[in-house]
């Protein structure tokens, strides 16, 4: 459990935005924790095993999961709301945001996505992609 300073980017085809807020993580069990999605407030749960974030779920969306690629479905993020950023650029990429937890710095690096357009879609269909760094306060 704890309060984290969260920074990052919410990629959206028409409403991209920078993320910056204090958010909480709650312990569900020995490996499972719960946080909130981007700036939407919808809960998501995840496991931390050997420093890796795995098994992410959220009931708030038809499809939700951790990302392993930068924009694998080729969504169009040319909207000015994305501030010139695209998934995979120097600031927001899978190498930095690699779904891990660093216990020394108490920092999570998340990259996850979702869609409400198709139940059961995989990351190729996620038009909403979120890159977040959570640092324990």
């Amino acid at each position: 459990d704890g309060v984290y300073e969260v920074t990052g980017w919410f990629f959206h085809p028409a409403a991209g935005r920078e993320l910056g807020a204090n958010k909480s993580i709650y312990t569900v069990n020995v490996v499972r924790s719960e946080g909130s999605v981007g700036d939407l407030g919808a809960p998501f749960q995840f496991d931390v095993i050997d420093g890796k974030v795995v098994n992410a779920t959220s009931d708030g969306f038809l499809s939700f999961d951790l990302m392993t690629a930068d924009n694998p479905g080729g969504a169009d993020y040319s909207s000015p709301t994305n501030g010139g950023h695209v998934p995979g650029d120097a600031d927001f990429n899978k190498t930095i945001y690699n779904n891990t937890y660093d216990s020394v710095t108490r920092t999570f690096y998340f990259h996850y996505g979702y869609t409400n357009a198709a139940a059961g879609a995989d990351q190729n269909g996620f038009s909403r992609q979120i890159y977040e760094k959570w640092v324990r306060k």
Side-chain angles (χ1 to χ4, degrees):
D1 288 357
V3 176
Y4 291 76
E5 181 179 354
V6 179
T7 57
W9 200 269
F10 191 127
F11 286 96
H12 186 288
R17 54 208 178 262
E18 185 174 12
L19 297 172
N22 290 324
K23 299 192 322 185
S24 295
I25 289 180
Y26 304 98
T27 301
V28 175
N29 64 37
V30 174
V31 296
R32 194 135 186 95
S33 298
E34 181 173 293
S36 59
V37 174
D39 55 2
L40 302 176
F44 78 100
Q45 292 189 354
F46 57 92
D47 298 340
V48 179
I49 300 172
D50 296 329
K52 299 206 180 315
V53 176
V54 296
N55 304 321
T57 62
S58 178
D59 292 336
F61 311 96
L62 289 176
S63 295
F64 175 94
D65 207 347
L66 298 171
M67 302 287 297
T68 60
D70 296 309
N71 197 17
D76 180 3
Y77 296 111
S78 62
S79 167
T81 62
N82 284 304
H85 291 292
V86 293
D89 69 12
D91 296 318
F92 302 102
N93 62 71
K94 67 180 181 160
T95 302
I96 298 168
Y97 297 86
N98 54 3
N99 296 313
T100 58
Y101 176 66
D102 183 332
S103 61
V104 174
T105 62
R106 301 185 328 175
T107 303
F108 286 94
Y109 295 91
F110 290 112
H111 178 202
Y112 54 88
Y114 73 91
T115 183
N116 280 327
D122 63 13
Q123 68 179 341
N124 293 319
F126 294 167
S127 58
R128 279 62 170 170
Q129 297 180 35
I130 300 167
Y131 292 76
E132 289 179 321
K133 177 181 177 181
W134 295 52
V135 181
R136 178 83 183 257
K137 293 184 87 164

